[in-house]
Structure formats: C-alpha cells, structure tokens
C-alpha cells in the first residue's frame, strides 16, 4: 500500500494507491492505477510531481484516511497539516519523488 502526495504552495493532498508497478531502467519509473475522480488527481496533474510513501505493517489507519474511508487524524507527530487537514506521513521509510 502506498500514499502518493503532492503540494502546490499551501495546498497539499494525497491519495492511497494500492496498484502500482515499479519498472527498472534509467531512469526507473513508477506506474500507478489512479481513478481520475480521485480528489488528489487534479493537484498531481497541475504540479506534475508526487512523493510516494510506502506504508508498513500497522499503518492501515493512514491508508484509510487518505482513501477518505476514515476521518482524517493528526499526523504521527501529533499535528495535522495542509489546508485540507490531511495527515502527514512520518519519514520512517524511503520516499521516491515522481514526475
């Protein structure tokens, strides 16, 4: 499971993505299956960038919040961020940037 996030100044948003493909090469590529109706999609298209956060065991509530299936709560650090009040991901795992 992964969370893809984008930011355009003060507007930050993200989306839970469970279907993605990692393609080796120079440069490597990530391909994700995203519904065009996803709240995050327009922001990603406008910025052309995303940070991919790979979730670990026990991070189901984070995935549910970004999928809009559960109420958004404070980030692991105890603070909610962004104009949309979406949770921030902790930096416990490597996060590739995507264009």
């Amino acid at each position: 499971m992964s969370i893809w996030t984008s930011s355009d100044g003060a507007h930050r948003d993200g989306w839970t993505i469970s279907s993605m493909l990692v393609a080796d090469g120079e440069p490597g590529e990530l391909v994700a299956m995203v519904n065009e109706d996803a709240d995050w999609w327009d922001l990603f298209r406008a910025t052309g960038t995303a940070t991919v956060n790979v979730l670990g065991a026990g991070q189901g509530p984070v995935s549910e919040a970004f999928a809009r299936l559960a109420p958004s709560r404070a980030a692991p650090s105890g603070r909610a961020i962004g104009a949309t009040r979406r949770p921030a991901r902790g930096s416990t795992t490597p996060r590739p940037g995507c264009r």
Side-chain angles (χ1 to χ4, degrees):
M1 193 66 64
S2 63
I3 306 293
W4 291 45
T5 60
S6 298
S7 175
D8 182 11
H11 184 203
R12 300 174 184 171
D13 204 357
W15 198 254
T16 299
I17 296 181
S18 59
S19 299
M20 69 177 181
L21 169 75
V22 179
D24 193 16
E26 193 56 44
E29 295 187 33
L30 291 175
V31 178
M33 302 294 289
V34 181
N35 183 333
E36 290 179 345
D37 294 330
D39 296 344
W40 162 81
W41 183 245
D42 289 336
L43 179 60
F44 172 70
R45 297 279 303 198
T47 63
T49 61
T51 298
V52 179
N53 302 276
V54 178
L55 300 181
Q59 292 184 303
V62 175
S63 171
E64 291 174 358
F66 276 97
R68 314 313 193 258
L69 298 174
S72 179
R73 298 202 171 114
S77 64
R79 60 184 172 79
I81 65 166
T84 58
R85 308 296 288 178
R86 304 283 183 242
R89 273 278 301 123
S91 58
T92 58
T93 56
R95 298 180 313 239
C98 301
R99 292 190 181 270

